[in-house]
Amino acid sequence: MAKAIAAAIASQRTLVAEAGTGTGKTFAYLVPALLWGGKVILSTGTKNLQDQLYLRDIPTVRKALNVPLSVALLKGRANYACHFHLERTLQNGRLTSREDVGYLREISRFVKTSSSGDKAELARVPESAPVWNLVTSTRDNCMGAECQYYQDCFVMKARKEAQQADVVVVNHHLFFADVALKDTGVAELLPSANTVIFDEAHQLPETATLFFGETVSTSQVMELCRDVLAEGLAHARDGAEWPKVIAPVERAARDLRLAFPQELVRMAAHQVAPSSVFFPALETLIEEMHAMGEVLSGQAERAETIEQCRARTQELCDKLSAWNDARSKPPAEVANGQETVLWLEAFTHSLQLHRTPLSIAPIFSKQREGSPRAWIFTSATLAVKNDFNHYLSQMGLWNEQAQSWPSPFDYGKQGLLYVPENLPQPNSFEYTDAVIDAALPMIIAAGGRAFLLCTTIRAVNRAAERLRDEFEKRGMPYPLLVQGESGRTELLDRFRNAGNAVLIGSQSFWEGVDVRGDALSLVIIDKLPFSPPDDPVLAARIDALEKKGLNGFVHHQLPAAIINLKQGAGRLIRDETDRGVLMICDPRLISKPYGRRIWQSLPPFSRTRDAAVARNFFAVGANAPGEPDEDDHR
């Protein structure tokens, strides 16, 4: 794999490289990238993986190769404390909780001594603490070169270091936010880079779709109102009755959210009933924002920050109006030659209006034009049974080289795929309870040490409720860890340390989670991870495929589900000494014609449908009988 990557870097080509668990893909791309020289941009899936590469993997390889390279870590601006916003928050004392006041004191001390300003370094203040929103900048409210703290700015410092470094570690969100918004410093790095490497590249289609689209939300409007009030009172107290200026806008934003009384809503714009109060509420919000914009125009020369609020008001108005105008067009209307779908999403406190491209392939292909450079895309899950077509067409990499390197693990001996018999259909009301009934004997046989991966949050909650009851009733000693009850990192640490815990999680635990050794010996997957059929973007994509005479299920939904399932299955065997059972509860794996394509894409575990054989795997060790025959559908 390292040789193939070295060849691609040397000839400035594109390589799509799938590498099974245990192949050492991180070293396979780092060694040639660091030896070849020139500037390398390395993008990975999450900030945690960024930190791991920067703090552990790159130093290890650099030391082994003895190459004098400089390395920089670059994150999005929300990760760096902002001197200006910190100062403003300290002065206007708008914090209500004692906890936030304590956190603010910690951040203030941290900023005086930190060289990076990266909030990940301040462990005493949780990264999710609301106070961070008040002491970091956004693209909208950054003062740029006008700021009195510009020389000390942590964001600017991080970007400067990245420009001078040989290797820059970013994450996919940052990379694509920059391609779309030109706001993260990556755009300045790209021209001089001769190698771009995407690790966890299976995440790119989703991340790129997020950023190549456009989203406007009522929470952005509320944040703007908060800033208008603060800046108006600070610099133009006599210029307007500022509380009265923002009140109608805040009320209109709240009314727009309340147009959908349900807690959570996702629907395409054309599915909203013409009689809905949503459309008049949107018109009202646009009108009230125009009125606020006029007041700000009259006061803008009094302070740079008021001018900034005026510009933000105009930008949000334009986005809301564009979305409103576009809804009279067909469901997948064309914007700049690009098919997009309009849809909306309501959360507890906010409403988001989205305009999403149906395909990112043409946009991403355009981004890759220009200076010749090597592009490396790598992950453990890019192909469906060695067929890369789904991924290549999603990313616009049609004629590029794609290669696969299998895992060195002996999956036939180390793992068993168990599909229980007599489970109801996954859409039946009692399905999650049936999954728990089938899973309990397996959890007992494994002595806990299990992940239960669900496809919905509702299933997570129901499974947690059932297992809590069962463990209590039977006096079982297994700690139960549930997604949402603590942060992901904390849950994983507790899982590893317990040695006999059961962890229940949804999508965020299907990938990027590495638990080696005995602590994890059983991975239970409740259902095949097909995207929800009511997803507006998915529905529009399937519609577009079917207009071209293709089958939306075969060409899009099935390969996407297989790649996702491979990620979940990949949690089980992480080391050559790991052993365990992968239990997939969905009867469609056996009953549907497409089931064979799915399990043939998974690692070549032994297979069984017999509960006793599956339980016995934990009791008798490595030689437990399974069903290794590739073509038998027992």
Side-chain angles (χ1 to χ4, degrees), residues 302-551:
R302 297 180 68 170
E304 179 66 32
T305 48
I306 296 181
E307 163 54 30
Q308 198 179 50
C309 287
R310 185 207 61 77
R312 280 166 66 191
T313 305
Q314 185 63 52
E315 191 182 344
L316 285 177
C317 256
D318 291 346
K319 283 185 179 179
L320 289 165
S321 301
W323 197 93
N324 197 26
D325 296 343
R327 69 182 167 82
S328 56
K329 296 176 185 167
E333 45 90 32
V334 175
N336 305 324
Q338 181 59 32
E339 272 194 298
T340 63
V341 59
L342 293 162
W343 58 289
L344 50 87
E345 199 169 13
F347 300 95
T348 312
H349 299 297
S350 75
L351 180 75
Q352 295 185 345
L353 307 180
H354 304 275
R355 191 206 296 241
T356 302
L358 286 192
S359 168
I360 59 153
I363 319 174
F364 188 57
S365 295
K366 210 169 184 178
Q367 296 301 333
R368 290 174 57 243
E369 288 168 5
S371 322
R373 63 174 61 91
W375 295 83
I376 311 295
F377 299 80
T378 184
S379 163
T381 56
L382 295 173
V384 175
K385 209 185 160 201
N386 287 328
D387 177 354
F388 287 89
N389 279 332
H390 175 67
Y391 186 76
L392 297 179
S393 61
Q394 275 187 304
M395 295 300 295
L397 302 169
W398 296 284
N399 300 314
E400 303 294 3
Q401 183 191 355
Q403 227 175 315
S404 198
W405 286 269
S407 168
F409 301 154
D410 186 346
Y411 283 115
K413 277 193 178 159
Q414 289 180 251
L416 179 70
L417 169 60
Y418 164 47
V419 182
E421 295 189 288
N422 305 321
L423 277 175
Q425 285 307 305
N427 58 357
S428 61
F429 178 72
E430 72 281 9
Y431 184 74
T432 302
D433 285 299
V435 166
I436 296 302
D437 292 340
L440 255 173
M442 291 298 296
I443 291 170
I444 294 165
R449 306 187 300 150
F451 271 10
L452 170 50
L453 301 177
C454 301
T455 52
T456 63
I457 294 292
R458 185 182 296 151
V460 167
N461 295 336
R462 177 62 189 150
E465 195 183 319
R466 274 289 314 276
L467 282 181
R468 203 166 271 126
D469 281 356
E470 296 286 352
F471 286 3
E472 213 168 290
K473 218 163 39 190
R474 303 174 187 218
M476 291 176 177
Y478 316 128
L480 189 64
L481 307 170
V482 183
Q483 180 180 335
E485 291 181 358
S486 294
R488 184 171 108 142
T489 310
E490 189 189 329
L491 285 174
L492 285 169
D493 286 345
R494 281 163 57 192
F495 182 87
R496 287 189 191 98
N497 294 336
N500 67 338
V502 176
L503 186 148
I504 310 177
S506 69
Q507 192 57 53
S508 63
F509 285 91
W510 283 64
E511 56 180 273
V513 172
D514 191 11
V515 180
R516 294 170 191 227
D518 291 340
L520 178 59
S521 299
L522 171 64
V523 171
I524 305 159
I525 291 177
D526 72 337
K527 284 182 193 177
L528 298 176
F530 289 110
S531 298
D534 61 348
D535 180 278
V537 180
L538 176 67
R541 282 181 176 154
I542 288 171
D543 192 45
L545 283 169
E546 291 182 348
K547 280 181 184 151
K548 292 177 187 163
L550 297 169
N551 181 312

Side-chain angles (χ1 to χ4, degrees), residues 10 13 92 97 106 124 127 169 196 238 290 299 343-344 370 427 500 526 566 609 628:
R13 282 186 293 107
N92 63 22
S97 79
E106 292 281 4
R124 286 193 295 277
E127 286 197 42
V169 184
V196 179
D238 56 344
H290 272 305
Q299 304 296 320
W343 58 289
L344 50 87
N427 58 357
N500 67 338
D526 72 337
K566 281 171 74 174
R609 301 209 66 197

